[in-house]
Amino acid sequence: MVIYLDNNATTKVDKRVLDAMLPYLEEEYANPSSMYQFSVKSSKAIAQARAQLRDFFGAKSEREVIFTSCGSESANTAIKGVLAANKNKKHIITTKVEHPCVLNLYQTLEKQGYRVDYIGVHADGSLDIEELKEKIDDETALVSVMWANNETGVLFPVEEIGEIIKSKNPETKFFVDAVQASGKIGFNLKDTNIDLLGVSGHKFHAPKGIGALYVKSNVIIPPLIVGGHQERGMRAGTENVPYIVGLGVAAELAKDALNYETTEIKRLRNKLETGILKRVFNSRLNSSISNRVPNTSNIGFEYIEGELILLHLSDLGICASSGSACTSGSLEPSHVLRAMGVPFTSLHGSIRFSLSRFTTEEEIDYTLEKLPQVIEKIVKLSPYQDELEHLRKSKV
Ligand code: PLP
């Protein structure tokens, strides 16, 4: 039995996505760039997927959609592309809580002479907009902000940030990492000041290995991967037709499921969250209650180790995570929770639960039944018995 509550790490491929992909893995294997009749179906399938992504993004035109291999490639294409197109500007603004695929790139760029400002967050995970506002100057080539945080689900007000950027410096480009927002909230990019935005299929029920980048029609950047003419010269390499088809269908399904996401998935997430906070005396919520995606809950368990909780949950078939999938496995506490000033007493014992359209009520009930027992077991092993006793008394 697997109870999968780690949907921010990756999601199950939807059967309808798989069914749409299969013909392009079997009989329709033509290279879409070939001249013969056999390739027409492949090239039409890509065109259809591009139109599905246009609708998903709320873009003006399908020419604003580039297929990539993943969220990391989308981010790298956008960031390196903007900087290459603006060689004389050396200032970048980002946040302290970005995903490593962005943060590690900025650290490399700092070594190459770029000045990078990392904007902080408040205790509830929300962005310090005033600080961001102050940092924009004539030298700012790029502002790069995630839409939803992968660890806490907290949403940044990217539409408002876009307006601030353009009012302070209309030449500054704005990249949004929307990998964790996609499928969880709706996009209408044509009405925003977002210049570039990246998504990754495996976060919304397409397979791993396919992503997309939105590039507003008036933004010109060079390709990251140079070679053939594919993607209008914006990304070389023979198109991954089956995966592109899968991404298109996943995008359409995600758009249709938005209502379910904001009602049913949110209801199940809230049931899990309030249930844990009520039943487990040393638990605390690590984020804003309202300003976040509907599927994510990050809960700190004071004076105990998150890894131990995950191992016990894993024995019961329950999959959750501490930190992001990329940082779990390291003993460093989460950079996101540290930036929020989460107290050290729960920094090491914080667990992210993330749901999807496949999460059931029974799974939530089972988790709510088992988790308090797991925590009680681990609490007994903690060296902080006095503090825990004090906490227990203060909660009753
Ligand atoms: N951005 C965020 C916010 C993410 O959560 C992730 C993956 O977890 C990525 C980017 C990278 O996406 P990918 O794994 O598709 O490269």
Side-chain angles (χ1 to χ4, degrees):
M1 179 189 62
V2 170
I3 294 178
Y4 189 70
L5 299 176
D6 199 17
N7 287 278
N8 286 9
T10 197
T11 58
K12 177 180 173 169
V13 174
D14 193 297
K15 178 82 171 63
R16 293 163 290 181
V17 170
L18 180 64
D19 287 345
M21 291 172 63
L22 282 176
Y24 297 92
L25 283 162
E26 292 176 332
E27 61 272 22
E28 298 294 343
Y29 54 83
N31 187 321
S33 300
S34 298
M35 293 301 290
Y36 32 76
Q37 195 60 27
F38 180 41
S39 72
V40 170
K41 206 161 169 195
S42 296
S43 63
K44 279 195 173 160
I46 294 178
Q48 184 184 347
R50 207 180 296 284
Q52 286 164 320
L53 265 293
R54 176 204 58 208
D55 293 347
F56 181 64
F57 284 143
K60 239 189 242 157
S61 152
E62 51 269 39
R63 292 171 69 81
E64 297 177 317
V65 177
I66 301 171
F67 292 112
T68 64
S69 66
C70 60
S72 303
E73 187 190 325
S74 297
N76 273 261
T77 305
I79 295 164
K80 291 180 182 170
V82 164
L83 299 178
N86 282 285
K87 285 219 168 62
N88 49 354
K89 293 196 174 171
K90 299 285 180 198
H91 180 224
I92 301 164
I93 300 174
T94 188
T95 82
K96 287 187 177 160
V97 297
E98 297 298 298
H99 187 268
C101 79
V102 168
L103 280 182
N104 290 338
L105 175 55
Y106 289 129
Q107 275 159 21
T108 308
L109 289 166
E110 275 189 285
K111 289 186 192 125
Q112 294 169 11
Y114 281 90
R115 178 165 59 93
V116 184
D117 279 314
Y118 299 89
I119 307 299
V121 293
H122 302 291
D124 64 356
S126 60
L127 194 64
D128 187 340
I129 302 281
E130 285 310 310
E131 190 190 352
L132 186 139
K133 223 185 253 180
E134 281 164 22
K135 297 286 183 194
I136 302 169
D137 61 33
D138 291 347
E139 274 293 295
T140 312
L142 175 70
V143 176
S144 158
V145 165
M146 66 201 326
W147 200 324
N149 187 273
N150 46 304
E151 294 188 31
T152 60
V154 169
L155 290 159
F156 288 161
V158 292
E159 282 111 336
E160 182 192 338
I161 294 170
E163 280 171 29
I164 293 170
I165 295 167
K166 299 296 168 180
S167 71
K168 293 209 76 172
N169 184 351
E171 283 175 24
T172 299
K173 297 291 178 280
F174 185 26
F175 166 65
V176 173
D177 172 1
V179 166
Q180 291 293 347
S182 44
K184 298 167 189 166
I185 57 168
F187 301 142
N188 192 12
L189 300 183
K190 62 177 169 311
D191 295 335
T192 70
N193 286 317
I194 296 168
D195 294 305
L196 308 105
L197 176 140
V199 298
S200 180
H202 74 103
K203 308 291 186 179
F204 56 99
H205 305 294
K208 293 157 207 51
I210 186 72
L213 176 65
Y214 161 86
V215 184
K216 221 182 203 41
S217 52
N218 61 345
V219 176
I220 312 289
I221 55 166
L224 182 69
I225 301 175
V226 180
H229 61 274
Q230 294 90 353
E231 299 297 295
R232 294 187 299 109
M234 287 300 302
R235 201 263 187 183
T238 301
E239 297 91 337
N240 187 353
V241 184
Y243 282 61
I244 289 173
V245 168
L247 186 71
V249 173
E252 193 168 304
L253 293 174
K255 205 162 175 275
D256 293 346
L258 272 181
N259 192 30
Y260 186 77
E261 187 80 34
T262 48
T263 53
E264 189 54 15
I265 297 178
K266 188 174 182 179
R267 183 186 71 77
L268 288 176
R269 188 273 313 267
N270 289 352
K271 179 175 181 182
L272 177 69
E273 184 172 284
T274 51
I276 294 172
L277 294 174
K278 206 164 105 193
R279 287 169 213 206
V280 181
F281 76 98
N282 63 335
S283 62
R284 66 191 290 283
L285 184 64
N286 279 333
S287 71
S288 144
I289 289 187
S290 55
N291 186 27
R292 58 185 164 147
V293 287
N295 81 318
T296 308
S297 183
N298 191 311
I299 297 181
F301 298 92
E302 296 201 80
Y303 299 108
I304 58 177
E305 284 295 332
E307 272 66 28
L308 217 45
I309 304 172
L310 292 181
L311 288 176
H312 277 77
L313 289 180
S314 171
D315 287 344
L316 295 163
I318 301 169
C319 308
S321 113
S322 62
S324 73
C326 306
T327 47
S328 54
S330 95
L331 290 176
E332 274 288 291
S334 145
H335 69 288
V336 176
L337 301 184
R338 270 185 296 162
M340 290 162 67
V342 167
F344 91 97
T345 50
S346 60
L347 207 48
H348 289 272
S350 287
I351 302 293
R352 176 187 72 188
F353 301 94
S354 47
L355 286 61
S356 82
R357 70 172 82 115
F358 296 113
T359 307
T360 64
E361 187 105 36
E362 290 70 36
E363 291 175 334
I364 296 301
D365 289 340
Y366 178 80
T367 307
L368 275 176
E369 181 199 328
K370 296 294 178 190
L371 182 77
Q373 300 164 11
V374 163
I375 301 294
E376 278 306 329
K377 232 192 258 176
I378 300 173
V379 156
K380 291 206 179 84
L381 305 173
S382 168
Y384 297 98
Q385 288 305 318
D386 290 348
E387 289 84 351
L388 281 161
E389 209 34 52
H390 184 72
L391 195 61
R392 199 188 291 274
K393 282 191 187 133
S394 70
K395 284 280 170 83
V396 285

